[in-house]
Amino acid sequence: MDEYTQYQFHRLDVKGGLLCLWQIQKNRNKLSFQEWVELDLEYIRRQSVWLDLKIIFKGAFMVVFDHSGE
């Protein structure tokens, strides 16, 4: 835990879910850890049922049609 900055620690403010914004990004494996943290914090700021539904549906799309994260 000493490796995290105080800013990065905020991504642990909420319980983890099934999917996150990072997982539905095209070429997600090319994102830096800082970009991953930014997406987690964006989710925390914007969390809603609608955002969760968007993540679920886009996640299903990514599994079926997009293989950029492999």
Side-chain angles (χ1 to χ4, degrees), residues 36-68:
W36 187 357
V37 168
E38 290 298 327
L39 288 167
D40 285 348
L41 295 177
E42 178 183 342
Y43 175 79
I44 292 170
R45 287 188 299 270
R46 295 181 44 210
Q47 61 184 317
S48 69
V49 171
W50 298 117
L51 181 57
D52 288 344
L53 289 173
K54 176 184 174 182
I55 291 170
I56 290 168
F57 286 111
K58 190 162 182 188
F61 174 85
M62 297 294 277
V63 167
V64 175
F65 298 109
D66 186 338
H67 301 287
S68 66

PDB file of all heavy atoms in Angstrom, residues 36-68:
ATOM      1  N   TRP A  36      -5.703   4.439 -15.622  1.00  0.00           N
ATOM      2  CA  TRP A  36      -6.616   3.489 -14.976  1.00  0.00           C
ATOM      3  C   TRP A  36      -7.198   4.113 -13.706  1.00  0.00           C
ATOM      4  O   TRP A  36      -8.397   4.060 -13.455  1.00  0.00           O
ATOM      5  CB  TRP A  36      -5.838   2.218 -14.676  1.00  0.00           C
ATOM      6  CG  TRP A  36      -6.620   1.048 -14.167  1.00  0.00           C
ATOM      7  CD1 TRP A  36      -7.959   0.977 -13.882  1.00  0.00           C
ATOM      8  CD2 TRP A  36      -6.096  -0.236 -13.870  1.00  0.00           C
ATOM      9  NE1 TRP A  36      -8.285  -0.260 -13.436  1.00  0.00           N
ATOM     10  CE2 TRP A  36      -7.157  -1.038 -13.421  1.00  0.00           C
ATOM     11  CE3 TRP A  36      -4.829  -0.784 -13.932  1.00  0.00           C
ATOM     12  CZ2 TRP A  36      -6.981  -2.361 -13.033  1.00  0.00           C
ATOM     13  CZ3 TRP A  36      -4.678  -2.104 -13.557  1.00  0.00           C
ATOM     14  CH2 TRP A  36      -5.734  -2.886 -13.123  1.00  0.00           C
ATOM     15  N   VAL A  37      -6.346   4.728 -12.905  1.00  0.00           N
ATOM     16  CA  VAL A  37      -6.794   5.399 -11.679  1.00  0.00           C
ATOM     17  C   VAL A  37      -7.788   6.510 -12.023  1.00  0.00           C
ATOM     18  O   VAL A  37      -8.837   6.640 -11.372  1.00  0.00           O
ATOM     19  CB  VAL A  37      -5.592   5.970 -10.881  1.00  0.00           C
ATOM     20  CG1 VAL A  37      -6.061   6.906  -9.782  1.00  0.00           C
ATOM     21  CG2 VAL A  37      -4.744   4.845 -10.312  1.00  0.00           C
ATOM     22  N   GLU A  38      -7.490   7.296 -13.052  1.00  0.00           N
ATOM     23  CA  GLU A  38      -8.393   8.377 -13.465  1.00  0.00           C
ATOM     24  C   GLU A  38      -9.766   7.832 -13.843  1.00  0.00           C
ATOM     25  O   GLU A  38     -10.795   8.418 -13.490  1.00  0.00           O
ATOM     26  CB  GLU A  38      -7.797   9.166 -14.637  1.00  0.00           C
ATOM     27  CG  GLU A  38      -6.606  10.006 -14.277  1.00  0.00           C
ATOM     28  CD  GLU A  38      -6.908  11.092 -13.264  1.00  0.00           C
ATOM     29  OE1 GLU A  38      -8.028  11.640 -13.271  1.00  0.00           O
ATOM     30  OE2 GLU A  38      -6.016  11.390 -12.449  1.00  0.00           O
ATOM     31  N   LEU A  39      -9.800   6.709 -14.561  1.00  0.00           N
ATOM     32  CA  LEU A  39     -11.080   6.109 -14.931  1.00  0.00           C
ATOM     33  C   LEU A  39     -11.838   5.611 -13.695  1.00  0.00           C
ATOM     34  O   LEU A  39     -13.057   5.754 -13.603  1.00  0.00           O
ATOM     35  CB  LEU A  39     -10.870   4.969 -15.931  1.00  0.00           C
ATOM     36  CG  LEU A  39     -10.470   5.410 -17.330  1.00  0.00           C
ATOM     37  CD1 LEU A  39      -9.974   4.216 -18.141  1.00  0.00           C
ATOM     38  CD2 LEU A  39     -11.628   6.104 -18.024  1.00  0.00           C
ATOM     39  N   ASP A  40     -11.127   5.027 -12.737  1.00  0.00           N
ATOM     40  CA  ASP A  40     -11.776   4.586 -11.497  1.00  0.00           C
ATOM     41  C   ASP A  40     -12.360   5.770 -10.734  1.00  0.00           C
ATOM     42  O   ASP A  40     -13.486   5.706 -10.230  1.00  0.00           O
ATOM     43  CB  ASP A  40     -10.788   3.836 -10.600  1.00  0.00           C
ATOM     44  CG  ASP A  40     -10.497   2.434 -11.086  1.00  0.00           C
ATOM     45  OD1 ASP A  40     -11.218   1.947 -11.987  1.00  0.00           O
ATOM     46  OD2 ASP A  40      -9.553   1.815 -10.565  1.00  0.00           O
ATOM     47  N   LEU A  41     -11.608   6.862 -10.668  1.00  0.00           N
ATOM     48  CA  LEU A  41     -12.095   8.039  -9.945  1.00  0.00           C
ATOM     49  C   LEU A  41     -13.251   8.706 -10.695  1.00  0.00           C
ATOM     50  O   LEU A  41     -14.176   9.233 -10.071  1.00  0.00           O
ATOM     51  CB  LEU A  41     -10.954   9.013  -9.697  1.00  0.00           C
ATOM     52  CG  LEU A  41      -9.861   8.484  -8.766  1.00  0.00           C
ATOM     53  CD1 LEU A  41      -8.734   9.505  -8.637  1.00  0.00           C
ATOM     54  CD2 LEU A  41     -10.410   8.121  -7.402  1.00  0.00           C
ATOM     55  N   GLU A  42     -13.218   8.651 -12.023  1.00  0.00           N
ATOM     56  CA  GLU A  42     -14.340   9.170 -12.810  1.00  0.00           C
ATOM     57  C   GLU A  42     -15.601   8.374 -12.495  1.00  0.00           C
ATOM     58  O   GLU A  42     -16.682   8.932 -12.326  1.00  0.00           O
ATOM     59  CB  GLU A  42     -14.033   9.081 -14.299  1.00  0.00           C
ATOM     60  CG  GLU A  42     -15.180   9.548 -15.171  1.00  0.00           C
ATOM     61  CD  GLU A  42     -14.916   9.387 -16.654  1.00  0.00           C
ATOM     62  OE1 GLU A  42     -13.753   9.228 -17.061  1.00  0.00           O
ATOM     63  OE2 GLU A  42     -15.902   9.428 -17.411  1.00  0.00           O
ATOM     64  N   TYR A  43     -15.464   7.048 -12.387  1.00  0.00           N
ATOM     65  CA  TYR A  43     -16.623   6.219 -12.038  1.00  0.00           C
ATOM     66  C   TYR A  43     -17.171   6.609 -10.667  1.00  0.00           C
ATOM     67  O   TYR A  43     -18.382   6.737 -10.483  1.00  0.00           O
ATOM     68  CB  TYR A  43     -16.269   4.729 -12.056  1.00  0.00           C
ATOM     69  CG  TYR A  43     -17.427   3.905 -11.571  1.00  0.00           C
ATOM     70  CD1 TYR A  43     -18.499   3.629 -12.414  1.00  0.00           C
ATOM     71  CD2 TYR A  43     -17.497   3.458 -10.256  1.00  0.00           C
ATOM     72  CE1 TYR A  43     -19.596   2.912 -11.961  1.00  0.00           C
ATOM     73  CE2 TYR A  43     -18.585   2.748  -9.798  1.00  0.00           C
ATOM     74  CZ  TYR A  43     -19.635   2.479 -10.658  1.00  0.00           C
ATOM     75  OH  TYR A  43     -20.727   1.782 -10.196  1.00  0.00           O
ATOM     76  N   ILE A  44     -16.289   6.809  -9.708  1.00  0.00           N
ATOM     77  CA  ILE A  44     -16.723   7.178  -8.358  1.00  0.00           C
ATOM     78  C   ILE A  44     -17.490   8.498  -8.388  1.00  0.00           C
ATOM     79  O   ILE A  44     -18.538   8.629  -7.752  1.00  0.00           O
ATOM     80  CB  ILE A  44     -15.514   7.252  -7.401  1.00  0.00           C
ATOM     81  CG1 ILE A  44     -14.943   5.850  -7.173  1.00  0.00           C
ATOM     82  CG2 ILE A  44     -15.910   7.915  -6.075  1.00  0.00           C
ATOM     83  CD1 ILE A  44     -13.617   5.828  -6.456  1.00  0.00           C
ATOM     84  N   ARG A  45     -17.006   9.463  -9.159  1.00  0.00           N
ATOM     85  CA  ARG A  45     -17.670  10.768  -9.248  1.00  0.00           C
ATOM     86  C   ARG A  45     -19.015  10.683  -9.962  1.00  0.00           C
ATOM     87  O   ARG A  45     -19.948  11.400  -9.618  1.00  0.00           O
ATOM     88  CB  ARG A  45     -16.778  11.776  -9.980  1.00  0.00           C
ATOM     89  CG  ARG A  45     -15.597  12.265  -9.187  1.00  0.00           C
ATOM     90  CD  ARG A  45     -14.874  13.399  -9.894  1.00  0.00           C
ATOM     91  NE  ARG A  45     -14.345  13.023 -11.192  1.00  0.00           N
ATOM     92  CZ  ARG A  45     -13.129  12.510 -11.409  1.00  0.00           C
ATOM     93  NH1 ARG A  45     -12.324  12.306 -10.392  1.00  0.00           N
ATOM     94  NH2 ARG A  45     -12.718  12.217 -12.625  1.00  0.00           N
ATOM     95  N   ARG A  46     -19.116   9.818 -10.971  1.00  0.00           N
ATOM     96  CA  ARG A  46     -20.301   9.778 -11.832  1.00  0.00           C
ATOM     97  C   ARG A  46     -21.229   8.597 -11.558  1.00  0.00           C
ATOM     98  O   ARG A  46     -22.200   8.402 -12.291  1.00  0.00           O
ATOM     99  CB  ARG A  46     -19.869   9.693 -13.297  1.00  0.00           C
ATOM    100  CG  ARG A  46     -19.136  10.898 -13.807  1.00  0.00           C
ATOM    101  CD  ARG A  46     -18.752  10.757 -15.266  1.00  0.00           C
ATOM    102  NE  ARG A  46     -19.841  10.224 -16.071  1.00  0.00           N
ATOM    103  CZ  ARG A  46     -19.667   9.476 -17.171  1.00  0.00           C
ATOM    104  NH1 ARG A  46     -18.473   9.166 -17.586  1.00  0.00           N
ATOM    105  NH2 ARG A  46     -20.697   9.034 -17.861  1.00  0.00           N
ATOM    106  N   GLN A  47     -20.950   7.789 -10.532  1.00  0.00           N
ATOM    107  CA  GLN A  47     -21.683   6.542 -10.365  1.00  0.00           C
ATOM    108  C   GLN A  47     -23.196   6.738 -10.349  1.00  0.00           C
ATOM    109  O   GLN A  47     -23.718   7.655  -9.729  1.00  0.00           O
ATOM    110  CB  GLN A  47     -21.211   5.792  -9.138  1.00  0.00           C
ATOM    111  CG  GLN A  47     -21.379   6.492  -7.819  1.00  0.00           C
ATOM    112  CD  GLN A  47     -20.790   5.678  -6.698  1.00  0.00           C
ATOM    113  OE1 GLN A  47     -20.960   4.469  -6.643  1.00  0.00           O
ATOM    114  NE2 GLN A  47     -20.093   6.330  -5.799  1.00  0.00           N
ATOM    115  N   SER A  48     -23.859   5.873 -11.113  1.00  0.00           N
ATOM    116  CA  SER A  48     -25.314   5.880 -11.216  1.00  0.00           C
ATOM    117  C   SER A  48     -25.748   4.549 -11.820  1.00  0.00           C
ATOM    118  O   SER A  48     -24.930   3.801 -12.369  1.00  0.00           O
ATOM    119  CB  SER A  48     -25.795   7.027 -12.105  1.00  0.00           C
ATOM    120  OG  SER A  48     -25.437   6.785 -13.452  1.00  0.00           O
ATOM    121  N   VAL A  49     -27.023   4.281 -11.744  1.00  0.00           N
ATOM    122  CA  VAL A  49     -27.560   3.067 -12.358  1.00  0.00           C
ATOM    123  C   VAL A  49     -27.336   3.111 -13.868  1.00  0.00           C
ATOM    124  O   VAL A  49     -26.969   2.107 -14.486  1.00  0.00           O
ATOM    125  CB  VAL A  49     -29.060   2.911 -12.029  1.00  0.00           C
ATOM    126  CG1 VAL A  49     -29.683   1.779 -12.825  1.00  0.00           C
ATOM    127  CG2 VAL A  49     -29.255   2.703 -10.541  1.00  0.00           C
ATOM    128  N   TRP A  50     -27.526   4.286 -14.477  1.00  0.00           N
ATOM    129  CA  TRP A  50     -27.352   4.418 -15.922  1.00  0.00           C
ATOM    130  C   TRP A  50     -25.914   4.154 -16.341  1.00  0.00           C
ATOM    131  O   TRP A  50     -25.683   3.507 -17.370  1.00  0.00           O
ATOM    132  CB  TRP A  50     -27.811   5.797 -16.400  1.00  0.00           C
ATOM    133  CG  TRP A  50     -29.260   6.017 -16.132  1.00  0.00           C
ATOM    134  CD1 TRP A  50     -29.807   6.957 -15.318  1.00  0.00           C
ATOM    135  CD2 TRP A  50     -30.357   5.258 -16.653  1.00  0.00           C
ATOM    136  NE1 TRP A  50     -31.177   6.835 -15.287  1.00  0.00           N
ATOM    137  CE2 TRP A  50     -31.543   5.792 -16.105  1.00  0.00           C
ATOM    138  CE3 TRP A  50     -30.469   4.176 -17.518  1.00  0.00           C
ATOM    139  CZ2 TRP A  50     -32.809   5.292 -16.399  1.00  0.00           C
ATOM    140  CZ3 TRP A  50     -31.727   3.660 -17.810  1.00  0.00           C
ATOM    141  CH2 TRP A  50     -32.871   4.218 -17.266  1.00  0.00           C
ATOM    142  N   LEU A  51     -24.963   4.642 -15.574  1.00  0.00           N
ATOM    143  CA  LEU A  51     -23.564   4.381 -15.905  1.00  0.00           C
ATOM    144  C   LEU A  51     -23.268   2.895 -15.757  1.00  0.00           C
ATOM    145  O   LEU A  51     -22.575   2.310 -16.595  1.00  0.00           O
ATOM    146  CB  LEU A  51     -22.625   5.215 -15.034  1.00  0.00           C
ATOM    147  CG  LEU A  51     -21.135   5.047 -15.306  1.00  0.00           C
ATOM    148  CD1 LEU A  51     -20.785   5.366 -16.762  1.00  0.00           C
ATOM    149  CD2 LEU A  51     -20.321   5.929 -14.358  1.00  0.00           C
ATOM    150  N   ASP A  52     -23.803   2.261 -14.732  1.00  0.00           N
ATOM    151  CA  ASP A  52     -23.609   0.820 -14.559  1.00  0.00           C
ATOM    152  C   ASP A  52     -24.186   0.045 -15.746  1.00  0.00           C
ATOM    153  O   ASP A  52     -23.563  -0.890 -16.246  1.00  0.00           O
ATOM    154  CB  ASP A  52     -24.243   0.337 -13.262  1.00  0.00           C
ATOM    155  CG  ASP A  52     -23.466   0.783 -12.033  1.00  0.00           C
ATOM    156  OD1 ASP A  52     -22.299   1.187 -12.168  1.00  0.00           O
ATOM    157  OD2 ASP A  52     -24.042   0.722 -10.933  1.00  0.00           O
ATOM    158  N   LEU A  53     -25.369   0.437 -16.209  1.00  0.00           N
ATOM    159  CA  LEU A  53     -25.978  -0.228 -17.358  1.00  0.00           C
ATOM    160  C   LEU A  53     -25.130  -0.030 -18.613  1.00  0.00           C
ATOM    161  O   LEU A  53     -24.939  -0.964 -19.392  1.00  0.00           O
ATOM    162  CB  LEU A  53     -27.398   0.290 -17.585  1.00  0.00           C
ATOM    163  CG  LEU A  53     -28.426  -0.158 -16.543  1.00  0.00           C
ATOM    164  CD1 LEU A  53     -29.754   0.554 -16.770  1.00  0.00           C
ATOM    165  CD2 LEU A  53     -28.601  -1.667 -16.562  1.00  0.00           C
ATOM    166  N   LYS A  54     -24.609   1.172 -18.793  1.00  0.00           N
ATOM    167  CA  LYS A  54     -23.738   1.442 -19.941  1.00  0.00           C
ATOM    168  C   LYS A  54     -22.506   0.539 -19.892  1.00  0.00           C
ATOM    169  O   LYS A  54     -22.113  -0.040 -20.909  1.00  0.00           O
ATOM    170  CB  LYS A  54     -23.299   2.914 -19.943  1.00  0.00           C
ATOM    171  CG  LYS A  54     -22.318   3.256 -21.028  1.00  0.00           C
ATOM    172  CD  LYS A  54     -21.847   4.691 -20.926  1.00  0.00           C
ATOM    173  CE  LYS A  54     -20.754   4.973 -21.942  1.00  0.00           C
ATOM    174  NZ  LYS A  54     -20.241   6.329 -21.828  1.00  0.00           N
ATOM    175  N   ILE A  55     -21.918   0.404 -18.727  1.00  0.00           N
ATOM    176  CA  ILE A  55     -20.724  -0.431 -18.572  1.00  0.00           C
ATOM    177  C   ILE A  55     -21.059  -1.893 -18.863  1.00  0.00           C
ATOM    178  O   ILE A  55     -20.302  -2.588 -19.548  1.00  0.00           O
ATOM    179  CB  ILE A  55     -20.114  -0.255 -17.166  1.00  0.00           C
ATOM    180  CG1 ILE A  55     -19.517   1.139 -17.030  1.00  0.00           C
ATOM    181  CG2 ILE A  55     -19.059  -1.322 -16.892  1.00  0.00           C
ATOM    182  CD1 ILE A  55     -19.107   1.503 -15.613  1.00  0.00           C
ATOM    183  N   ILE A  56     -22.199  -2.366 -18.378  1.00  0.00           N
ATOM    184  CA  ILE A  56     -22.600  -3.755 -18.612  1.00  0.00           C
ATOM    185  C   ILE A  56     -22.790  -4.020 -20.101  1.00  0.00           C
ATOM    186  O   ILE A  56     -22.260  -4.994 -20.652  1.00  0.00           O
ATOM    187  CB  ILE A  56     -23.883  -4.088 -17.819  1.00  0.00           C
ATOM    188  CG1 ILE A  56     -23.567  -4.148 -16.324  1.00  0.00           C
ATOM    189  CG2 ILE A  56     -24.500  -5.405 -18.305  1.00  0.00           C
ATOM    190  CD1 ILE A  56     -24.801  -4.177 -15.437  1.00  0.00           C
ATOM    191  N   PHE A  57     -23.542  -3.138 -20.775  1.00  0.00           N
ATOM    192  CA  PHE A  57     -23.806  -3.363 -22.195  1.00  0.00           C
ATOM    193  C   PHE A  57     -22.554  -3.192 -23.052  1.00  0.00           C
ATOM    194  O   PHE A  57     -22.307  -3.976 -23.976  1.00  0.00           O
ATOM    195  CB  PHE A  57     -24.939  -2.461 -22.688  1.00  0.00           C
ATOM    196  CG  PHE A  57     -26.280  -2.928 -22.214  1.00  0.00           C
ATOM    197  CD1 PHE A  57     -26.996  -2.189 -21.284  1.00  0.00           C
ATOM    198  CD2 PHE A  57     -26.820  -4.128 -22.658  1.00  0.00           C
ATOM    199  CE1 PHE A  57     -28.231  -2.622 -20.825  1.00  0.00           C
ATOM    200  CE2 PHE A  57     -28.054  -4.577 -22.207  1.00  0.00           C
ATOM    201  CZ  PHE A  57     -28.762  -3.831 -21.296  1.00  0.00           C
ATOM    202  N   LYS A  58     -21.746  -2.203 -22.735  1.00  0.00           N
ATOM    203  CA  LYS A  58     -20.515  -2.018 -23.499  1.00  0.00           C
ATOM    204  C   LYS A  58     -19.546  -3.159 -23.203  1.00  0.00           C
ATOM    205  O   LYS A  58     -18.818  -3.604 -24.085  1.00  0.00           O
ATOM    206  CB  LYS A  58     -19.866  -0.668 -23.204  1.00  0.00           C
ATOM    207  CG  LYS A  58     -18.729  -0.382 -24.158  1.00  0.00           C
ATOM    208  CD  LYS A  58     -18.330   1.054 -24.220  1.00  0.00           C
ATOM    209  CE  LYS A  58     -17.228   1.220 -25.244  1.00  0.00           C
ATOM    210  NZ  LYS A  58     -16.660   2.541 -25.232  1.00  0.00           N
ATOM    211  N   GLY A  59     -19.559  -3.654 -21.973  1.00  0.00           N
ATOM    212  CA  GLY A  59     -18.719  -4.803 -21.625  1.00  0.00           C
ATOM    213  C   GLY A  59     -19.095  -6.030 -22.433  1.00  0.00           C
ATOM    214  O   GLY A  59     -18.227  -6.751 -22.935  1.00  0.00           O
ATOM    215  N   ALA A  60     -20.402  -6.274 -22.594  1.00  0.00           N
ATOM    216  CA  ALA A  60     -20.862  -7.402 -23.404  1.00  0.00           C
ATOM    217  C   ALA A  60     -20.417  -7.220 -24.857  1.00  0.00           C
ATOM    218  O   ALA A  60     -19.952  -8.169 -25.503  1.00  0.00           O
ATOM    219  CB  ALA A  60     -22.383  -7.527 -23.314  1.00  0.00           C
ATOM    220  N   PHE A  61     -20.541  -6.001 -25.367  1.00  0.00           N
ATOM    221  CA  PHE A  61     -20.094  -5.706 -26.727  1.00  0.00           C
ATOM    222  C   PHE A  61     -18.607  -6.001 -26.879  1.00  0.00           C
ATOM    223  O   PHE A  61     -18.170  -6.609 -27.860  1.00  0.00           O
ATOM    224  CB  PHE A  61     -20.391  -4.242 -27.077  1.00  0.00           C
ATOM    225  CG  PHE A  61     -19.828  -3.827 -28.403  1.00  0.00           C
ATOM    226  CD1 PHE A  61     -20.531  -4.058 -29.573  1.00  0.00           C
ATOM    227  CD2 PHE A  61     -18.586  -3.213 -28.486  1.00  0.00           C
ATOM    228  CE1 PHE A  61     -20.004  -3.682 -30.803  1.00  0.00           C
ATOM    229  CE2 PHE A  61     -18.050  -2.839 -29.708  1.00  0.00           C
ATOM    230  CZ  PHE A  61     -18.763  -3.072 -30.870  1.00  0.00           C
ATOM    231  N   MET A  62     -17.818  -5.566 -25.906  1.00  0.00           N
ATOM    232  CA  MET A  62     -16.365  -5.746 -25.971  1.00  0.00           C
ATOM    233  C   MET A  62     -16.006  -7.234 -25.997  1.00  0.00           C
ATOM    234  O   MET A  62     -15.102  -7.638 -26.715  1.00  0.00           O
ATOM    235  CB  MET A  62     -15.678  -5.059 -24.798  1.00  0.00           C
ATOM    236  CG  MET A  62     -15.846  -3.555 -24.750  1.00  0.00           C
ATOM    237  SD  MET A  62     -15.058  -2.683 -26.079  1.00  0.00           S
ATOM    238  CE  MET A  62     -13.393  -2.578 -25.454  1.00  0.00           C
ATOM    239  N   VAL A  63     -16.714  -8.038 -25.218  1.00  0.00           N
ATOM    240  CA  VAL A  63     -16.436  -9.473 -25.172  1.00  0.00           C
ATOM    241  C   VAL A  63     -16.713 -10.108 -26.526  1.00  0.00           C
ATOM    242  O   VAL A  63     -15.931 -10.918 -27.026  1.00  0.00           O
ATOM    243  CB  VAL A  63     -17.274 -10.164 -24.065  1.00  0.00           C
ATOM    244  CG1 VAL A  63     -17.236 -11.670 -24.204  1.00  0.00           C
ATOM    245  CG2 VAL A  63     -16.794  -9.740 -22.691  1.00  0.00           C
ATOM    246  N   VAL A  64     -17.824  -9.728 -27.148  1.00  0.00           N
ATOM    247  CA  VAL A  64     -18.237 -10.358 -28.398  1.00  0.00           C
ATOM    248  C   VAL A  64     -17.488  -9.812 -29.612  1.00  0.00           C
ATOM    249  O   VAL A  64     -17.034 -10.572 -30.464  1.00  0.00           O
ATOM    250  CB  VAL A  64     -19.763 -10.189 -28.597  1.00  0.00           C
ATOM    251  CG1 VAL A  64     -20.204 -10.737 -29.943  1.00  0.00           C
ATOM    252  CG2 VAL A  64     -20.521 -10.882 -27.467  1.00  0.00           C
ATOM    253  N   PHE A  65     -17.323  -8.484 -29.700  1.00  0.00           N
ATOM    254  CA  PHE A  65     -16.850  -7.882 -30.934  1.00  0.00           C
ATOM    255  C   PHE A  65     -15.458  -7.255 -30.905  1.00  0.00           C
ATOM    256  O   PHE A  65     -14.838  -7.086 -31.946  1.00  0.00           O
ATOM    257  CB  PHE A  65     -17.832  -6.786 -31.404  1.00  0.00           C
ATOM    258  CG  PHE A  65     -19.184  -7.332 -31.716  1.00  0.00           C
ATOM    259  CD1 PHE A  65     -20.259  -7.057 -30.881  1.00  0.00           C
ATOM    260  CD2 PHE A  65     -19.402  -8.111 -32.831  1.00  0.00           C
ATOM    261  CE1 PHE A  65     -21.518  -7.550 -31.162  1.00  0.00           C
ATOM    262  CE2 PHE A  65     -20.653  -8.618 -33.126  1.00  0.00           C
ATOM    263  CZ  PHE A  65     -21.729  -8.333 -32.286  1.00  0.00           C
ATOM    264  N   ASP A  66     -14.965  -6.860 -29.750  1.00  0.00           N
ATOM    265  CA  ASP A  66     -13.718  -6.100 -29.697  1.00  0.00           C
ATOM    266  C   ASP A  66     -12.646  -6.924 -29.000  1.00  0.00           C
ATOM    267  O   ASP A  66     -12.786  -7.286 -27.841  1.00  0.00           O
ATOM    268  CB  ASP A  66     -13.927  -4.785 -28.946  1.00  0.00           C
ATOM    269  CG  ASP A  66     -12.711  -3.893 -28.981  1.00  0.00           C
ATOM    270  OD1 ASP A  66     -11.587  -4.397 -29.194  1.00  0.00           O
ATOM    271  OD2 ASP A  66     -12.862  -2.691 -28.784  1.00  0.00           O
ATOM    272  N   HIS A  67     -11.585  -7.177 -29.704  1.00  0.00           N
ATOM    273  CA  HIS A  67     -10.495  -7.977 -29.122  1.00  0.00           C
ATOM    274  C   HIS A  67      -9.221  -7.139 -28.981  1.00  0.00           C
ATOM    275  O   HIS A  67      -8.122  -7.669 -28.984  1.00  0.00           O
ATOM    276  CB  HIS A  67     -10.250  -9.218 -29.983  1.00  0.00           C
ATOM    277  CG  HIS A  67     -11.474 -10.070 -30.092  1.00  0.00           C
ATOM    278  ND1 HIS A  67     -11.927 -10.838 -29.060  1.00  0.00           N
ATOM    279  CD2 HIS A  67     -12.367 -10.219 -31.086  1.00  0.00           C
ATOM    280  CE1 HIS A  67     -13.032 -11.463 -29.421  1.00  0.00           C
ATOM    281  NE2 HIS A  67     -13.332 -11.093 -30.649  1.00  0.00           N
ATOM    282  N   SER A  68      -9.391  -5.825 -28.853  1.00  0.00           N
ATOM    283  CA  SER A  68      -8.224  -4.941 -28.769  1.00  0.00           C
ATOM    284  C   SER A  68      -7.493  -5.059 -27.436  1.00  0.00           C
ATOM    285  O   SER A  68      -6.366  -4.647 -27.333  1.00  0.00           O
ATOM    286  CB  SER A  68      -8.659  -3.478 -28.991  1.00  0.00           C
ATOM    287  OG  SER A  68      -9.491  -3.034 -27.925  1.00  0.00           O
TER     288      SER A  68
END
